[in-house]
Amino acid sequence: MIYQRSSALFAEAKKYIPGGVNSPVRAFKAVGGEPIFVKRAKGAYLYDEDGNQLIDFISSWGPLILGHAYEPVINAVIEKARKGTSFGMPTEIETQLARLAVSMVPNIDKIRFVNSGTEACMSAVRLARGYTGKDKIIKFAGCYHGHSDAFLIQAGSGAVTFGSPNSPGVTQGTAKDTLLADYNDMDGVKTLVQANSGEIAAIILEPVAGNMGCIVPSEQFVHGLRELCSQEGILLLFDEVMTGFRLAKGGAQEALGVDADIVMFGKVIGGGLPVGAFAAKAEIMAHLAPEGPVYQAGTLSGNPLAMSAGLAMLTELNTNPEVFSSLDNKTKYLHEGITTVLEERGIAHQINRFGSMLSVHFCEGPVVDFASSAHGNNDRFKKYFHGMLKRGIYLPPSAFESYFLNDALSYSDLDKTIEATRHCEF
């Protein structure tokens, strides 16, 4: 494939945008080469500025669960845009989307819309601290909750040490209230809770992780967290920015059979437009302004275009829940096909899958947390990424990102992907 125009556009972008991109993973630093600039997309396909067609396995990092330019969503946005794009005042469609979301998701009474997943997670932690009157949180190495200061923390030197900032601009004062644990390590979490008894407001996690590849929680881990939080007066926060309305109508809470205290959403709930949200029982949400003392606000929160896209998307998922089984079946088919090819070629690998999320790790042994994910052969992944790209398959340009399948993918697309793996250079 030829990428002359994308290359020229990237060179121009770097003159005016830091690194030439507005989100770091887009720069291809993890895989080498230069990023591809998209011109348009439809269904399961991307069309770049050089006229290449690519089968898309990131779905804009998750929200386009029904495929690109899905007609009901596009029509809803166009119709709403004709009436105005932003008011900074209440609109009926905010309540319509809120009512639908609450009806679909277990264990929530009220929801507050924001503009991104980062904002949702940041606000949820503030609410948890305000509700409990405690300051510290536990997060898990490898889980990404956006770029708010409290989440940009790396592990300390021992199980009970504080984290330290892993980005300039994050203060030690912020870092001291964030404790780090390993995903799927229940004993480690218990040790942290015991060492900080009565000080922890919340435990926050991706219930199915998607930022160290797809990492599936063990039943003991996720149910153990629920039990521990209930015992210790800690709020359990599920970051469902990726999993919400993707793994099931009710998200990971439904899929895993575990109730969280506060749930954060993004991606699918916006139908491809910038939206985030956080939700909980009425008792907790009553602490949020203007009802309560915990402040959160946003001029563009509840933006009518974003609300219309989200309402169209969730209405479709609520009306046609077979989408979830269809996606599960397609993801399983891709999983089994790639496994067969890699086994035939004698390439060490682990494939993790949950619902329509999947990741391929080039390593021996199970991948259950950030440390085991980091053991993957990154040089092999880079070759795999570019080999697949050359054959018209667009995968996440990082070994630490999950695939997100969309239901516009056909079995012919999946067969082409499996066949590309068969001939890919490793």
Side-chain angles (χ1 to χ4, degrees):
M1 290 190 177
I2 299 172
Y3 300 107
Q4 291 180 342
R5 179 154 173 74
S6 279
S7 182
L9 288 170
F10 186 48
E12 183 73 3
K14 286 190 288 186
K15 296 177 183 178
Y16 307 104
I17 301 172
V21 295
N22 285 306
S23 191
V25 73
R26 301 176 191 174
F28 275 29
K29 290 284 188 181
V31 293
E34 296 182 331
I36 294 165
F37 279 59
V38 179
K39 188 171 186 177
R40 63 185 181 90
K42 181 65 177 174
Y45 308 117
L46 302 166
Y47 299 89
D48 69 17
E49 289 283 355
D50 289 281
N52 301 304
Q53 176 182 294
L54 302 168
I55 299 174
D56 181 23
F57 282 97
I58 68 168
S59 303
S60 188
W61 299 109
L64 305 176
I65 192 168
L66 300 175
H68 291 275
Y70 187 68
E71 207 69 31
V73 172
I74 298 300
N75 290 339
V77 172
I78 292 172
E79 180 182 348
K80 187 60 67 175
R82 290 196 176 104
K83 299 176 182 178
T85 57
S86 181
F87 310 116
M89 298 167 65
T91 60
E92 182 182 9
I93 197 168
E94 295 168 71
T95 303
Q96 291 173 339
L97 181 55
R99 183 189 304 119
L100 179 56
V102 167
S103 74
M104 293 173 70
V105 177
N107 202 44
I108 65 170
D109 296 324
K110 294 186 178 181
I111 187 168
R112 169 66 62 86
F113 294 112
V114 293
N115 297 291
S116 69
T118 292
E119 193 179 341
C121 292
M122 175 186 73
S123 302
V125 166
R126 182 184 301 154
L127 177 59
R129 285 171 166 156
Y131 178 77
T132 62
K134 296 181 280 190
D135 293 337
K136 294 179 184 178
I137 64 170
I138 294 176
K139 75 172 292 286
F140 295 90
C143 282
Y144 179 70
H145 306 293
H147 59 88
S148 178
D149 286 4
F151 306 129
L152 295 179
I153 307 298
Q154 63 189 7
S157 59
V160 297
T161 63
F162 296 112
S164 59
N166 65 347
S167 174
V170 178
T171 68
Q172 289 287 348
T174 297
K176 74 177 178 62
D177 287 328
T178 301
L179 303 168
L180 268 291
D182 291 325
Y183 202 83
N184 275 322
D185 180 6
M186 194 61 219
D187 288 338
V189 176
K190 289 179 179 178
T191 299
L192 281 176
V193 170
Q194 290 169 3
N196 297 272
S197 180
E199 299 180 78
I200 298 171
I203 296 176
I204 181 172
L205 77 157
E206 296 175 80
V208 176
N211 286 284
M212 43 184 161
C214 174
I215 306 292
V216 180
S218 70
E219 186 172 344
Q220 177 191 22
F221 176 65
V222 74
H223 285 272
L225 288 176
R226 177 65 276 170
E227 183 178 355
L228 179 65
C229 286
S230 297
Q231 290 172 348
E232 299 291 334
I234 298 169
L235 297 187
L236 180 62
L237 276 55
F238 271 10
D239 177 353
E240 293 219 46
V241 169
M242 290 182 173
T243 60
F245 308 103
R246 169 168 282 276
L247 299 185
K249 280 175 60 174
Q253 287 191 107
E254 177 184 330
L256 297 171
V258 176
D259 287 341
D261 295 302
I262 305 178
V263 189
M264 296 79 86
F265 301 105
K267 310 294 186 187
V268 176
I269 200 173
L273 271 68
V275 181
F278 57 105
K281 289 290 190 182
E283 178 189 356
I284 295 174
M285 296 300 279
H287 283 67
L288 196 64
E291 285 186 46
V294 178
Y295 193 72
Q296 184 278 327
T299 299
L300 294 176
S301 296
N303 175 269
L305 301 188
M307 296 293 97
S308 64
L311 183 60
M313 179 66 76
L314 263 58
T315 298
E316 197 70 18
L317 297 176
N318 192 48
T319 305
N320 300 302
E322 62 272 11
V323 166
F324 299 104
S325 58
S326 173
L327 274 167
D328 288 354
N329 291 335
K330 288 176 181 178
T331 310
K332 180 182 179 183
Y333 183 87
L334 181 66
H335 179 174
E336 292 174 347
I338 294 175
T339 296
T340 298
V341 169
L342 294 180
E343 287 178 351
E344 288 174 353
R345 296 187 63 178
I347 296 170
H349 69 282
Q350 298 291 320
I351 298 180
N352 286 357
R353 170 174 58 87
F354 196 108
S356 55
M357 298 170 62
L358 175 146
S359 58
V360 180
H361 305 264
F362 295 109
C363 62
E364 303 278 0
V367 178
V368 297
D369 55 17
F370 181 68
S372 51
S373 177
H375 287 151
N377 186 330
N378 200 44
D379 288 337
R380 175 160 281 173
F381 178 83
K382 292 176 184 178
K383 292 177 181 177
Y384 178 56
F385 173 82
H386 284 288
M388 296 294 279
L389 184 60
K390 185 168 69 174
R391 291 168 174 82
I393 314 297
Y394 191 78
L395 303 178
S398 167
F400 295 105
E401 301 285 356
S402 174
Y403 298 22
F404 294 99
L405 274 67
N406 65 75
D407 202 42
L409 288 160
S410 68
Y411 281 92
S412 176
D413 295 326
L414 302 180
D415 285 335
K416 182 177 179 181
T417 304
I418 294 164
E419 194 62 19
T421 303
R422 188 181 307 281
H423 299 286
C424 189
E425 301 83 3
F426 285 98

